Amino acid sequence: MKGHVRRRGNKWCFVIDIPTDNGERRQKWFSGYRSRKDAEKEMVRVINELEKGTFVEPSNEKYRDYLKTWLEGKKSTVKPATYDTYFYLISKHIAPKLGHISISKINAVHLQRFYSYLNEKEHLAPASISKIHNIIKASLNAAYRYGFIYKNPALLVDPPRIGRKEMRFWTEEQARHFLNVAKNDRLYIAFFLAITTGMRKGEILGLRWKDIDLQRKTITVNQTLSNRGDRFQETKTNAGRRTIVLTGNTIDVLKQHYTTIKKEKLKNGAHYEDHGLVVCTSLGTPIIPRNFDRVWKRLLKKSGLPTIRFHDLRHTHATILLKQGIHPKVVSERLGHANIRITLDTYSHVLPGLQEAAAAKFEELFFHEKNISESER
């Protein structure tokens, strides 16, 4: 098998005579190399693969078209929430910037420039860029297995390093102030649950009355509402499916809210869609998360408190418990963490103070003068 290197303009290329099934030969051109040396090196590789029967004919399919097929196949292999994330990131970021490139021509430079653009122009967080990188890497790994490309350029590029997010939370006084501001709002129960149980937004919006045991004073987390608010789904992990013990005040607030729900059922009659939800519209339908966020931001502004995310109410709950000396294992179970290490890593900002308090308590109990017997003096 023969090959020839030639120059075309300011680039180098090579052509190889490839035998066909009928004994004839056809020429295959490979172009776009910056130097003769690069072209010769690639020609040797291609010839070796052709002789071994492992050569992959580069695909001219556009990356955007390939991604549609790849994403369709993911519907049956990943959870709905994961699919939604893939769909959004591909539609919003990946396809608009990389979709026009043939899948066989995507290289590491394309990807590095793309990640820099997302960071500098779109101002995406490193964690979001990392998710995008993982999607690209997975899709190109599949393309490699299918024989559309002969190497995965995503393996040559590192996304931005994910740093530790700044932990934000409210003090007990601030949390009480917000609840006082929100007490007349219809979604008051959602904010109350977030602060007193540490539940996630999706868990609260997916909570049903049948998940609550008023006698035992517990909530069992069984499902969540999707980010788009169009379906309910199981919790992400087994640890997320958990039982949380409630305070007496939380039980009282739930009973008051149930009275409101019953009145709305009677008022709306046949128009009421009873999904059995604790947090719902006046017609019984699920609260769309983006509509919920609007109410949260309005009340946050009204409160005059430091700006935090709704998710930070979960951190507020955990921080209050840890400061009160509650064992991290208990906090971990209430939050639905997969293991206690996640809890300790996430709330390490609280631990130094707890260490000091523990040392002081030990000193008081062990070394205080009144605890030392006469024989030890």
Side-chain angles (χ1 to χ4, degrees), residues 264-302:
E264 290 174 345
K265 285 184 182 179
L266 291 173
K267 179 181 178 181
N268 292 294
H271 297 289
Y272 193 88
E273 297 182 25
D274 195 352
H275 294 272
L277 295 172
V278 175
V279 183
C280 55
T281 68
S282 59
L283 294 176
T285 56
I287 300 284
I288 303 299
R290 64 174 178 271
N291 293 337
F292 180 86
D293 291 340
R294 292 190 186 102
V295 176
W296 159 251
K297 290 177 182 178
R298 172 174 57 79
L299 293 173
L300 179 60
K301 183 177 180 180
K302 183 179 179 181

Side-chain angles (χ1 to χ4, degrees), residues 126-146:
S128 297
I129 300 176
S130 183
K131 288 180 181 178
I132 290 172
H133 171 72
N134 289 336
I135 291 173
I136 293 173
K137 183 168 66 174
S139 69
L140 294 180
N141 268 338
Y144 173 77
R145 293 195 304 271
Y146 299 151

Side-chain angles (χ1 to χ4, degrees), residues 62-206:
K62 300 298 183 185
Y63 190 35
R64 69 165 68 91
D65 297 324
Y66 168 77
L67 282 172
K68 290 178 182 178
T69 304
W70 179 79
L71 189 59
E72 187 66 25
K74 284 295 176 182
K75 278 187 176 180
S76 59
T77 61
V78 299
K79 291 184 177 181
T82 303
Y83 176 84
D84 288 346
T85 300
Y86 286 0
F87 182 86
Y88 172 77
L89 293 176
I90 288 172
S91 303
K92 176 71 174 178
H93 299 292
I94 301 174
K97 287 296 179 182
L98 299 176
H100 65 286
I101 306 174
S102 296
I103 187 172
S104 61
K105 294 184 178 179
I106 293 178
N107 57 44
V109 175
H110 289 134
L111 299 181
Q112 194 63 69
R113 288 175 177 170
F114 176 52
Y115 299 154
S116 296
Y117 168 83
L118 294 176
N119 179 42
E120 297 168 8
K121 301 297 182 181
E122 295 292 336
H123 304 295
L124 291 190
S128 297
I129 300 176
S130 183
K131 288 180 181 178
I132 290 172
H133 171 72
N134 289 336
I135 291 173
I136 293 173
K137 183 168 66 174
S139 69
L140 294 180
N141 268 338
Y144 173 77
R145 293 195 304 271
Y146 299 151
F148 298 156
I149 57 178
Y150 67 86
K151 64 180 179 181
N152 184 350
L155 299 177
L156 305 176
V157 182
D158 293 322
R161 185 177 64 85
I162 301 176
R164 182 181 292 273
K165 284 187 176 180
E166 180 184 359
M167 179 65 66
R168 293 190 176 187
F169 57 92
W170 282 338
T171 63
E172 296 93 321
E173 292 77 13
Q174 289 171 326
R176 284 195 291 266
H177 172 69
F178 178 82
L179 290 179
N180 187 55
V181 170
K183 64 181 179 181
N184 294 322
D185 192 274
R186 194 178 176 287
L187 296 182
Y188 173 72
I189 183 62
F191 306 123
F192 197 93
L193 287 173
I195 292 173
T196 60
T197 69
M199 292 171 67
R200 302 174 178 89
K201 179 169 60 178
E203 295 170 343
I204 292 172
L205 297 183

